[in-house]
Amino acid sequence: MIPIILGITLVVAIFIQIAPGDPARIKIGNEATEEEYQALRDEMGLDDPFFVRYFRFLGNALRGDFGKSFYNSRPVMAEIFQRFRYTIVIALLSVTLAVLVGVPLGIFAATHQYTIMDNAAIALALVCVSMPSFFFALLMIRFFALTLGILPPSGITTWQGWILPTLSLALGFAATITRQMRSNMLEVIRQDYITTARSKGLSEFKIRYKHALKNAIIPIIMIVGGIFGMALGGAMIAEIIFSVPGLGQYTLGGLTGRDYPIVQGSTFFMSVIFSVIMLLIDLGFAFIDPRIRSQFARRRKRERVS
């Protein structure tokens, strides 16, 4: 996790270095004298060597200090925490909705294999997976907000404002979960222990939801963890489209204004959050799956013997 975070911060710092635009010139304007311009660059630390700026940011970031915005001098960390609540709410709502729709639909498709309903579910999932979330968002704005007029096209002043951003992300995630759940369920219900359970006279409902689902759902945990990480990035895009005052809007403002502390701070923060989520999912996956636990147990036993 640590090398990944360091690598991301280094790549972002390199892109900032080579990106066109001068934040000092943007801030001071074209009418300032050369002396005033150079003084501002020194104050902002823009004339320092690349690695000096990079390690200065990294050292401050590890202490929880992302610096201050070039233009309004507000602490970047405080702004991130204030706006991140909108991003996390959209991500949680979209992933929850995706799981509630994707898991039952995947089970239904697997247990009705090669029927019209199975083909329809797979076709719908393929369309939703293939279409990017921002295109879904624009289609839903056109249909629900402009044509029907039943939902607001932007803003979250009411609870209806959360519906379109959540749906625009959840549809693609639900399609991914549906396809994976169908594949897992088909693999499990063909196992010998499922045939044995049927031969004992157990009901089909009990076989599906007590025996088969327990094993088929394990890989979905890893899928959901990755989806939640992607949902954080997708939520930032949805915030821009639906004018939600979250981390996406804040980062976009930093990009357009060449506000380097905002860009670096937001990227570092999201990288840490995503990496921690994936680490927790890996640990949870090892805890839930008995095959992984037994693997480590055998390894520890061999190490003690040797």
Side-chain angles (χ1 to χ4, degrees):
M1 185 179 77
I2 294 172
I4 289 174
I5 294 174
L6 292 176
I8 292 172
T9 57
L10 181 60
V11 169
V12 171
I14 292 173
F15 283 156
I16 287 176
Q17 177 73 16
I18 64 178
D22 187 349
R25 179 59 68 186
I26 294 174
K27 182 177 182 178
I28 203 170
N30 294 324
E31 298 179 357
T33 64
E34 187 64 23
E35 291 76 12
E36 292 173 335
Y37 168 69
Q38 289 298 331
L40 182 60
R41 283 188 63 87
D42 291 337
E43 180 185 342
M44 299 169 73
L46 297 176
D47 288 330
D48 295 334
F50 169 75
F51 283 106
V52 171
R53 283 185 286 155
Y54 171 69
F55 285 112
R56 181 170 58 210
F57 165 78
L58 195 60
N60 293 333
L62 294 176
R63 295 195 297 268
D65 180 14
F66 293 158
K68 295 182 179 180
S69 169
F70 282 161
Y71 303 111
N72 56 28
S73 299
R74 294 178 182 173
V76 174
M77 177 64 84
E79 290 284 331
I80 287 175
F81 276 120
Q82 182 179 352
R83 295 168 181 270
F84 183 64
R85 54 181 177 174
Y86 299 104
T87 305
I88 195 69
V89 167
I90 293 176
L92 285 172
L93 289 175
S94 61
V95 172
T96 302
L97 182 60
V99 171
L100 293 177
V101 173
V103 170
L105 191 58
I107 296 172
F108 179 83
T111 54
H112 296 78
Q113 189 181 16
Y114 300 136
T115 62
I116 296 178
M117 298 302 295
D118 176 34
N119 294 332
I122 295 305
L124 181 62
L126 183 62
V127 171
C128 293
V129 166
S130 304
M131 221 177 274
S133 59
F134 70 86
F135 187 66
F136 269 130
L138 297 176
L139 288 179
M140 286 189 289
I141 290 175
R142 177 61 185 255
F143 183 71
F144 290 106
L146 300 182
T147 303
L148 299 181
I150 58 176
L151 292 174
S154 62
I156 50 169
T157 53
T158 61
W159 64 269
Q160 291 97 332
W162 295 97
I163 295 178
L164 290 183
T166 301
L167 283 178
S168 66
L169 292 177
L171 287 175
F173 297 150
T176 301
I177 294 174
T178 297
R179 298 176 68 198
Q180 187 65 43
M181 190 69 215
R182 178 183 180 273
S183 176
N184 295 343
M185 200 69 177
L186 285 174
E187 183 179 349
V188 169
I189 61 179
R190 291 167 181 164
Q191 299 293 322
D192 292 338
Y193 74 92
I194 297 295
T195 305
T196 303
R198 286 198 179 98
S199 66
K200 290 181 178 179
L202 295 179
S203 66
E204 197 65 27
F205 181 86
K206 197 170 185 179
I207 291 172
R208 292 176 187 173
Y209 295 99
K210 184 177 180 180
H211 297 281
L213 181 60
K214 188 183 297 184
N215 291 312
I217 201 71
I218 290 177
I220 299 299
I221 297 172
M222 183 66 74
I223 297 293
V224 171
I227 284 175
F228 184 72
M230 292 189 295
L232 291 174
M236 295 174 69
I237 298 174
E239 290 165 8
I240 297 170
I241 296 174
F242 293 101
S243 299
V244 178
L247 200 53
Q249 287 276 22
Y250 186 58
T251 306
L252 179 64
L255 286 170
T256 55
R258 301 297 186 270
D259 202 335
Y260 298 157
I262 292 178
V263 177
Q264 287 183 296
S266 301
T267 307
F268 183 85
F269 181 80
M270 292 300 295
S271 302
V272 171
I273 294 295
F274 183 82
S275 299
V276 169
I277 289 172
M278 296 308 298
L279 177 62
L280 293 176
I281 291 298
D282 285 341
L283 295 175
F285 193 73
F287 178 77
I288 292 170
D289 194 339
R291 293 169 296 183
I292 298 179
R293 292 204 306 271
S294 63
Q295 234 178 7
F296 281 102
R298 288 197 301 269
R299 184 180 302 173
R300 286 197 297 267
K301 186 176 180 180
R302 287 196 302 268
E303 290 174 354
R304 286 197 297 267
V305 171
S306 60

